[in-house]
Amino acid sequence: MGSASREALARSVQALAGLGSKADLATAEDLFAAGRVVADSAQLRSVLSDPSAPAEGKAALVQRVFGSLSAPAVELLTVVAGQRWSDQDDVLAAIEELGIRSIAASAPRNVDIPGELFAFGGAVTSDAELELALRSKLADPEAKAALAERLLAGKASKQTVAIARQLVLQPRGRSIRESLRDAARIVAAQYGQTIATVVTATPLPAEQAERLRASLAAKYGELKLNEVVDPAILGGLRVQVGDDVIDGSVASRLTELRLQLAG
């Protein structure tokens, strides 16, 4: 996002915080639906992202188009419409993020939404046919959403199902892996956490994973581990927290050795 969009998003998130318990799963569903309507209308996207358009006019447009939605959703959409955005895609991203944050803020704290999203992502990316079915541009979006719901039935909370359904219905050019990772990051941010992605050749024992989490938390603050098993790294581990990467994998060391020998 450009600087204008980052500021606009921060104000929109602040508006969400001001709603408190009024913003819930139903609010998120309304926001997701509104975002899909905006995505399908070039005119709506153009007007809502136009920095020269009067805020009052955009607010009136939101009321006219989305007035049947819940009051919290309409209020948040009005706030979004009143901001200055760098481009149209950022408006769509902001509406989706507000929906995801609404879900995270209203979910019981014993519901591990990031963990469920990571588990779903791992299941999808480990099955090439399944991943293709969910990302295919030729498949009916509702059919893909129904597939995601069936896969998650009995395995994930209604909050995670709602997020996954939105990501499948409106991928916005992202792979399912990217969209799930983005959603988990947003949920963690709503909880004041950071995502640390840890890649290992074999699953980490629970005790070792907890020691690693505590060690990273001492530097980065409260965080959530996203554990990924990738035999290609051979051994060791690779950790990414935001833009920071700690690569202690065997594969990385072998690559460095080969470069040294070649040089």
Side-chain angles (χ1 to χ4, degrees):
M1 283 188 173
S3 59
S5 288
R6 286 195 295 272
E7 293 175 8
L9 178 59
R11 286 191 287 269
S12 300
V13 171
Q14 189 173 30
L16 171 64
L19 289 175
S21 60
K22 293 179 181 179
D24 55 14
L25 179 57
T27 303
E29 296 279 19
D30 282 349
L31 289 170
F32 291 156
R36 294 193 292 271
V37 171
V38 174
D40 290 339
S41 171
Q43 183 178 9
L44 267 177
R45 292 198 309 276
S46 177
V47 173
L48 294 180
S49 61
D50 184 359
S52 65
E56 315 82 65
K58 291 196 284 187
L61 176 63
V62 167
Q63 288 290 341
R64 187 163 64 250
V65 177
F66 301 114
S68 62
L69 300 181
S70 61
V74 173
E75 182 174 340
L76 290 170
L77 290 168
T78 302
V79 171
V80 169
Q83 307 303 316
R84 294 176 62 90
W85 300 93
S86 302
D87 59 48
Q88 297 180 11
D89 288 342
D90 290 348
V91 175
L92 298 177
I95 294 173
E96 182 175 275
E97 176 160 341
L98 290 173
I100 293 172
R101 283 180 176 269
S102 294
I103 288 175
S106 61
R109 290 311 297 264
N110 65 339
V111 175
D112 184 9
I113 298 175
E116 292 176 349
L117 289 171
F118 291 144
F120 181 50
V124 170
T125 55
S126 65
D127 186 325
E129 291 186 6
L130 178 57
E131 185 172 11
L132 179 61
L134 288 174
R135 75 181 186 189
S136 173
K137 295 180 180 179
L138 301 178
D140 175 63
E142 283 293 343
K144 292 192 293 184
L147 173 59
E149 290 181 28
R150 288 198 301 274
L151 292 169
L152 288 168
K155 300 176 182 177
S157 62
K158 60 183 179 180
Q159 290 84 3
T160 296
V161 172
I163 292 173
R165 176 178 170 81
Q166 161 62 16
L167 300 180
V168 172
L169 285 173
Q170 193 177 14
R172 293 193 291 109
R174 301 165 297 179
S175 69
I176 187 66
R177 181 185 304 184
E178 291 173 322
S179 60
L180 289 168
R181 185 173 63 239
D182 287 346
R185 175 189 57 78
I186 291 168
V187 173
Q190 182 65 29
Y191 294 156
Q193 299 175 329
T194 301
I195 297 292
T197 297
V198 181
V199 183
T200 56
T202 57
L204 284 177
E207 299 82 359
Q208 188 175 348
E210 177 54 28
R211 288 198 301 271
L212 176 60
R213 189 205 63 78
S215 176
L216 292 170
K219 179 178 181 180
Y220 295 101
E222 184 63 28
L223 49 76
K224 175 77 177 178
L225 285 189
N226 171 27
E227 298 182 50
V228 178
V229 176
D230 181 3
I233 73 168
L234 303 179
L237 51 79
R238 182 179 186 273
V239 179
Q240 180 168 359
V241 183
D243 294 330
D244 292 349
V245 177
I246 306 167
D247 196 342
S249 65
V250 172
S252 175
R253 292 198 293 269
L254 289 174
T255 298
E256 292 177 0
L257 179 59
R258 282 194 294 268
L259 290 174
Q260 291 173 5
L261 293 173

